[in-house]
Every structure is written in C-alpha cells, then in structure tokens.
Amino acid sequence: MCTIAPNERKGWGRAKMVDFPVAKNPGQGRAAGPLAWLVARAAALYAGLRAAIVDAVTQRRNFILFPFAMIAGLIAYRVLPDEPALTSLAVLLGIALVAAWTGRDRALVRETALLAAMFAVGMVLLPVHAALFGTPMLEAPRYGTYTARIEAVTYDDGSQQRWILSDIAGTPDWTVPEIRMARVTVPGSYTVSPGDTLTARIRFYPVPPPAVPGGYDSQFISHFDGIGAYGTAFGDIEIEQGGEGGLARIVKDVRATITARIVAQLGERIGGIAAALVTGDQSRITEEDRELMASAGIAHVIAISGLHLTLVAGTMFACVRFLLSLSHGLAQRFPIKKIAAGAGIATALAYMVISGMVIPAVRSTIMLALIFAAIIAGRQALTMRNVAIAGLAIIVFEPTSVFRASFQLSFAAVIALISAFELARRHREDREHPQRGRALALMLDIATTSVIAGLATLVFSAYHFQQTAPFGVLGNLMVMPIVTFVMMPAALLGTLLLPIGLEALPYAALGWSIEAMLWCAGFVRDLSGGFDPSPILSPLALGVALLALAWLAYFRTRMRVIGPIAAVPLIAFFCLEQAPDIFIADQSQALAVRSGDRVALIAGRNNTFATTIWSERYITVIEDAHPAAGCDSRGCILTTEDGYTIALVKSRDAFDEDCRIADIVVTRLTAPPQCAVAATLVINASDLARHGAHMIDWNGPDLPPTIRTAIDGPSRRWRIQTQ
C-alpha cells in the first residue's frame, strides 16, 4: 500500500511504500469465498494503481499527459454542435492559467490546473489557426478564365496533376471565388514550380462533405489548410515562370530529377515504388500494389514516416561513427558519437525536405532531432518525454493533423514501442538473460516490434481503412530485414551518389529489394486467403484508444498495460457499428436499401464515389439494382423483407399516395408538411443539403429509425452554409 507523506513545500511530497497485506497462500482468498477474493483482488489493484500514480508523479511524468489534454481540447471543440464564442474560449483559457499560477505552491492543484490549461489551449488552437490560415468556403460553383499563382504541386501521375492555387483573379469580378487558395486538377503534365503564374479556364466547385458519418472530412481539413474550393482546369493553360519561390523551386526540381532518374532506371512499376520511398511521390504506385501490400500488413513501407527517417538517419549515424572510429587520433580528440548524431540530424532534415515535408516526415524528423540532440547532450535518447515534446510541436503548428490517420497511427506505434522498451529495460535491470545469437535476436526483435506496433495501431487501421491484416506479423517478419538492411541503405547510398552519376548499382539493389518485398507480400496474401476480419467501428472507438494510449504512456510500472487491456472489452461492447439498412447520398441520386441479406440500389449508379465509399466503410457489397423495387417516372416503392416500405419520390404528384403507404419517404424535392404526419420518417432536399448523406437503421415498427448523418454541426465555420 502507498501513502503520501505531507510536505508543505512540494505539495505532493515523497511517496512512502508500505507493504500491502496479502494472503500467504494463493488459494486463501478463494477459500474464503468468491466475494472475499474479489474484494482482495480489487484492493490489490487499487494499491497497485495508487503506487503507479505516485511513481509517475515523483518521476514528473505529468508532462507526458499535456499533448493528450490538448488533443482532448481539440476533440471537444470539433464535436461542439455550434461555433463557440471566442470570448468564452479566452475566458476558459484565462481561468485555467490563473488557477495554475495561484496553485503553483501546491503540486496537485498546479498539475491539475496545467492539464486544464492544456485542454483549454487545445480548444483555442483551431480558432486561432483558422484566423491565421483559414478561409471562407465556396458555396456555389464558379466558372471563368482566371489568373492565379501556383503554390504547390500535390499530385502528378503523368496524365494529370493537382495544383494549389492562390491570388486568384479574373473578370468579371463576381465570378472570382473569395477564398485564400483552391485545389485544382489539371489534365496532362506540365513543368511548373511554386511561384509560377497560370492563366486558364477553371470551374471551381464547393469542397465536398464526408460521404459517410465519421468519414474523412475534406471540408474540415481544407478550411484550416486555407483551401476553400476544388476545381478543374479546361482547354489551353498558359504558364508564366515566376521569379519567386527560390528554395521551393530548387527543392521541387531536385525531387523531380530524382524521381525521373529512378523511374528511368527501374521502370514505371518498381521505379514508382522506389520514388515513393525516396521523394514521397506515390502517384505512380498502382492500386493493385497498394492492395497487395495492405493485405500483407506492410502498406506502411511505401508511406514515408518514422520508419524511413529512422533507417536513413540511423544508417548515416552508424556509418559516420564507424568511419570516424577507424582513426584512433580522431576518436581520441573528438566526440565522434556526437558528431555522428549531428550528421544524423542533418540527414533527417535533408530527407524530410526531399520527401516533400509531409506531416509524418516532419513529425518523425522532430522526434529524431530530439533523440540525436539527447545524444549530443549526453542524455537518454528514447524517452516518453521526447514523444510528448514532438506531439506538442505538431499539435501546435498543425492541429488538424490530430484528426488524420497518419498522426494517429504513428504516435500510437511510437508510444507503444517506447512503453515496451521501458518495461523491457526495467525487466533487464532486474534479471540476467542468457546471450542469444544475433540472427535469432534480430528475428525476435522484428517479430516483437511488429506485434506491438500492429496491436497499437489496430483500432486506427480498422476505423480508417477497414483493415486489420491478421497476417501482418508474418509479412513484417519477412519484409523488414529487406527494408532495414537493403532497401533503405540502397536508397540512401544511391541518392548520395546521384550527383556524380554513380547511382546505378545502389538503385539496382533498391529495385531488387522492392521486387523481393512484393513477392513476400504476394506469398502472405495467398497464405491468408483474403482473411481480414475487420470490424465496423464508431468514432467513439478512437476516443477509447486515445485514453488507452494516455494510460500506457503515463505509467512506468506494469500497471500501464491495464489501460490497453481494458480498452478491448469497451470497444467490443460499446464501439461497434453495423452496416445501415438504408444508404442515401447527398450529392448524387444513389439510394441503396437492405432487404434480407442483400443491399442493392433502387436509384442512382453503382461504382460512383459515394457507393464505393459505402462499400469500403461498411464492408458491404452493393448490387446494381434491387429486383423487388417498383419504379416509374414518378419514383420507386420497395417493401423490404424486414416489413417496412420505403418510397423514393421524384415527382410532386406522387407525394399524396407515397406518403400514405410508405414508412420511410426519401425525396430530392421539398416534401409537403402533411407527408411527415403520414409517414414514420421523411428525408427531403433540405435535410440532405444541411446534414449530407444519411444512414438509417430500421428498428422495427415500435421504435423510431436510427439516423446517422455525414455532416455534424452544419453551422460550423468549415461548413458550406445553406439557405
């Protein structure tokens, strides 16, 4: 049992460890009865939790909770139904800061107030970010001839490109969208750089909302990134080279040159994957290869992240240190380990720039810079505090990244791996382990790392991608030695030798390693037979996973594993969703209905954006046309096997009859008021315009249907306001 000795100066004081009384005989508690045994177990658990809290506090691990508190604030702001007043947010932040200052002499009050302040900062971050970088959202399509500045090229597959445009101007003035930037798709291939100016005919249109409840929200992300519209360019496009964007232009040209040299040597397929590893350009990777690697649980290999930065910077660190150690004089005069760490930082920064400075690369570079800086300062490198610092930096400068899969996956994996490292280190300090062969140790480390990272990211992968890759451990076990010892060192060496034209041999080894990786992925996929038992998770599952990660990161003792273990039944019992009975698209005519075991369209076309997202999100096959639906020019009627009737009304003449015979009425028109009185549920044009796509569950004749909408908070600043 733990007690805390009072200490007026420190507040928390020192933790005194007192033995908690337990039965000497393991079966003694059970002999006294199940209730007594449960009470004893609960008391022991409470004592262990109390001791773990005291240990964490005395080790000053409350700082580790700061990014989690900020994330909680971001989530709280995100889920509010209406936009909060800035004065309210300012008052909330002020109260938390004053409480932290006034309670600075009492540790418990101070730490609680600081966590509350971090929560308040999280709530304020997005409004501040919107004021600095946000944009109004285009409400209706615009078409005309425009002149704009090219800020970036975000996609290029050789047949089309996507550009980010700013300073948009045109005539007449009323056709010019009043937005900061727009993302425009351009057919063909152009040699452009940031700072160039284009003149072209462009059709701008509003940024689309999510296609499913809880799906990827383009409007939310685009608003805070300053992108207020999407667009498509037509006809002849005039490009005028600008004199600005010096560094950006150089970086773009370097990336384009490296990509072209790699593809020229290795071909479109293998070269496309190699270019993704070096420059981050994934536009040449085919969907077949993406699905192949995803099925084997190795899709993370082609997305530049902490794995790639660590391997490249770590390889440079090891090579520089080894080469310097060959000279006895240098090793005696200079701190070669610190010099090698400096080279690792420089390599990580260069790789981050060449890879396009995507968020995962930036996040990983910050983390690596902290690790190498700790080596230079003579401090311990792998600590949870460094993870917290990196998290705080990313959250402050890119708060919307918290809602993206890449942030969630990478930080979950890093937190789990460092937690395992801390537990293993404490275990090694307590016991002596026999020496194992290096090859066996390597295989065990890869398998252990794969299992830990896979379990840590399981919820996020299942939610965002509907993939769990149960054979991912085998896939990583086969592929990671290739990636670690051949692929990334070859990519690094080839890129370093590219300026002098000696990259052929390293890039050839890179190509061989990619072919070996694809073969391993094919072997794992064939072995699994397509088995992937992915659940359909609700957004609440992400909140439970966040709490489990905070618990895992905060504690140092074995008590830390209780959080992730407890998250499993919570998600299993409270966070699972089922595929809806009715799917209604907001921006197309698609309407799909479940009748018995089949889901089929009664309106609209299949294989569109909406139906594809529905199939992927809910792991459901949507058939082309429902055979039991009766349709004519006025609408469609379907009586399902579950006993309810749904009507799709296309003509105003059909409202009177269909509203009387149908339980659920769907229309793209404005339904008359009497229709809502006759039918159980009516979804009309205003509902679809305000709340987006609708997913409906039929709960029987005695309970109202459950409705889930894609647009939450239709009045928020990032939503397109409707009349």
Side-chain angles (χ1 to χ4, degrees):
M1 177 177 177
C2 295
T3 60
I4 302 177
N7 186 312
E8 296 179 357
R9 183 168 176 265
K10 294 297 183 180
W12 273 103
R14 296 183 179 179
K16 293 177 62 179
M17 304 301 297
V18 181
D19 292 336
F20 191 86
V22 297
K24 296 181 179 180
N25 185 354
Q28 183 176 345
R30 293 183 179 86
L35 181 60
W37 181 83
L38 287 175
V39 170
R41 293 301 93 198
L45 181 62
Y46 171 76
L49 177 59
R50 185 179 175 86
I53 293 174
V54 172
D55 175 75
V57 171
T58 55
Q59 294 296 321
R60 299 181 178 179
R61 291 179 73 89
N62 285 357
F63 176 78
I64 294 171
L65 296 179
F66 284 7
F68 291 98
M70 292 179 68
I71 292 173
L74 288 168
I75 295 173
Y77 170 82
R78 174 69 177 80
V79 301
L80 287 175
D82 298 303
E83 193 69 23
L86 292 178
T87 53
S88 301
L89 296 177
V91 169
L92 176 64
L93 178 59
I95 291 174
L97 292 176
V98 169
W101 174 257
T102 56
R104 63 187 183 276
D105 294 329
R106 300 180 61 188
L108 178 59
V109 175
R110 182 185 68 246
E111 297 296 336
T112 303
L114 283 175
L115 288 175
M118 292 299 103
F119 178 86
V121 169
M123 290 200 69
V124 173
L125 268 179
L126 283 173
V128 171
H129 201 78
L132 296 175
F133 309 107
T135 181
M137 305 300 289
L138 183 67
E139 298 180 359
R142 304 285 181 88
Y143 177 83
T145 300
Y146 304 99
T147 300
R149 182 181 187 273
I150 299 175
E151 293 290 337
V153 178
T154 61
Y155 181 83
D156 181 6
D157 65 355
S159 60
Q160 71 173 13
Q161 298 176 333
R162 292 196 191 110
W163 300 344
I164 303 298
L165 305 181
S166 64
D167 300 332
I168 303 170
T171 54
D173 293 341
W174 65 268
T175 65
V176 178
E178 297 179 356
I179 57 177
R180 289 189 64 241
M181 293 185 293
R183 194 193 79 179
V184 175
T185 300
V186 182
S189 180
Y190 295 85
T191 303
V192 295
S193 297
D196 292 349
T197 301
L198 83 127
T199 302
R201 287 185 296 136
I202 302 174
R203 178 185 179 272
F204 292 106
Y205 54 90
V207 178
V212 292
Y216 178 76
D217 195 341
S218 299
Q219 291 180 346
F220 175 77
I221 298 297
S222 297
H223 170 74
F224 291 100
D225 287 347
I227 298 174
Y230 288 172
T232 304
F234 299 94
D236 296 332
I237 299 176
E238 298 179 7
I239 303 295
E240 180 181 348
Q241 187 173 359
E244 305 178 19
L247 179 59
R249 184 183 298 274
I250 292 173
V251 171
K252 183 261 178 186
D253 292 341
V254 169
R255 296 182 66 211
T257 300
I258 294 174
T259 299
R261 296 274 284 272
I262 291 175
V263 173
Q265 179 172 339
L266 301 179
E268 280 292 330
R269 186 193 183 198
I270 302 301
I273 297 175
L277 296 171
V278 178
T279 65
D281 180 8
Q282 298 188 24
S283 59
R284 291 175 173 81
I285 302 178
T286 64
E287 286 300 320
E288 292 78 10
D289 286 337
R290 292 181 190 272
E291 293 176 1
L292 173 63
M293 288 183 279
S295 65
I298 59 172
H300 60 90
V301 173
I302 59 173
I304 292 178
S305 60
L307 168 68
H308 306 76
L309 269 297
T310 300
L311 291 176
V312 169
T315 299
M316 180 61 74
F317 170 79
C319 290
V320 170
R321 187 179 183 187
F322 172 74
L323 293 175
L324 292 178
S325 67
L326 296 178
S327 171
H328 182 72
L330 289 176
Q332 292 295 320
R333 292 183 183 180
F334 302 101
I336 61 174
K337 184 177 180 180
K338 296 182 179 180
I339 295 174
I345 294 176
T347 303
L349 290 172
Y351 191 16
M352 177 190 69
V353 172
I354 291 176
S355 65
M357 297 187 67
V358 293
I359 294 300
V362 174
R363 183 168 56 247
S364 302
T365 301
I366 294 174
M367 187 68 192
L368 282 171
L370 291 172
I371 291 174
F372 284 126
I375 293 176
I376 293 173
R379 304 287 296 273
Q380 186 177 336
L382 291 174
T383 66
M384 201 67 74
R385 181 175 290 268
N386 288 344
V387 179
I389 294 173
L392 289 172
I394 292 295
I395 292 169
V396 169
F397 291 105
E398 193 70 26
T400 56
S401 66
V402 169
F403 302 94
R404 292 172 175 169
S406 61
F407 177 94
Q408 298 167 15
L409 290 167
S410 61
F411 265 92
V414 170
I415 288 172
L417 290 172
I418 292 186
S419 298
F421 173 78
E422 290 180 343
L423 282 175
R425 183 177 59 201
R426 291 169 65 95
H427 186 63
R428 285 194 301 268
E429 291 173 355
D430 296 337
R431 299 184 180 182
E432 294 184 1
H433 295 278
Q435 294 292 329
R436 295 191 298 262
R438 292 186 177 181
L440 177 61
L442 174 64
M443 300 302 287
L444 289 176
D445 288 344
I446 292 174
T448 303
T449 300
S450 177
V451 170
I452 293 172
L455 291 175
T457 58
L458 186 64
V459 172
F460 304 100
S461 297
Y463 179 83
H464 291 288
F465 310 114
Q466 290 73 52
Q467 292 177 339
T468 55
F471 286 78
V473 173
L474 177 60
N476 282 275
L477 192 61
M478 296 177 66
V479 167
M480 290 314 298
I482 300 173
V483 175
T484 302
F485 298 109
V486 181
M487 186 180 295
M488 296 312 299
L492 173 62
L493 182 59
T495 305
L496 291 176
L497 295 178
L498 191 144
I500 58 178
L502 299 179
E503 77 279 4
L505 186 58
Y507 278 167
L510 174 60
W512 298 333
S513 66
I514 292 174
E515 291 177 352
M517 178 185 69
L518 293 175
W519 181 90
C520 293
F523 173 81
V524 173
R525 182 187 60 182
D526 294 340
L527 185 66
S528 66
F531 176 71
D532 190 5
S534 300
I536 303 174
L537 299 178
S538 69
L540 183 60
L542 299 182
V544 174
L546 175 67
L547 292 176
L549 285 175
W551 185 289
L552 183 67
Y554 181 62
F555 295 114
R556 291 199 316 150
T557 66
R558 293 179 181 176
M559 182 60 64
R560 70 195 318 168
V561 302
I562 298 297
I565 292 174
V568 175
L570 288 176
I571 292 174
F573 288 108
F574 302 106
C575 303
L576 296 183
E577 286 187 357
Q578 61 180 4
D581 297 316
I582 302 172
F583 306 71
I584 310 173
D586 59 334
Q587 296 187 336
S588 70
Q589 299 298 317
L591 170 61
V593 180
R594 180 187 307 278
S595 181
D597 295 331
R598 65 191 307 178
V599 178
L601 293 169
I602 64 173
R605 295 182 296 107
N606 212 344
N607 298 320
T608 60
F609 176 77
T611 58
T612 300
I613 295 297
W614 294 348
S615 298
E616 293 176 351
R617 174 71 178 92
Y618 297 109
I619 319 175
T620 300
V621 177
I622 298 178
E623 301 178 13
D624 288 335
H626 212 299
C631 298
D632 56 24
S633 61
R634 303 171 62 196
C636 298
I637 291 285
L638 171 65
T639 300
T640 68
E641 295 181 14
D642 295 321
Y644 69 93
T645 301
I646 179 172
L648 172 64
V649 179
K650 299 180 181 179
S651 172
R652 297 186 184 278
D653 299 336
F655 276 118
D656 184 54
E657 178 183 357
D658 290 353
C659 291
R660 283 188 290 104
I661 65 175
D663 298 288
I664 298 177
V665 175
V666 179
T667 179
R668 310 282 171 180
L669 308 172
T670 300
Q674 61 268 24
C675 188
V677 177
T680 302
L681 175 66
V682 178
I683 305 296
N684 64 12
S686 61
D687 298 317
L688 296 173
R690 184 168 176 78
H691 298 286
H694 283 55
M695 305 292 137
I696 302 173
D697 298 320
W698 177 256
N699 299 319
D702 300 327
L703 294 174
T706 301
I707 305 173
R708 291 169 282 167
T709 59
I711 296 179
D712 54 342
S715 61
R716 301 304 296 273
R717 64 169 71 237
W718 55 86
R719 295 301 179 203
I720 298 171
Q721 303 303 313
T722 58
Q723 300 298 329

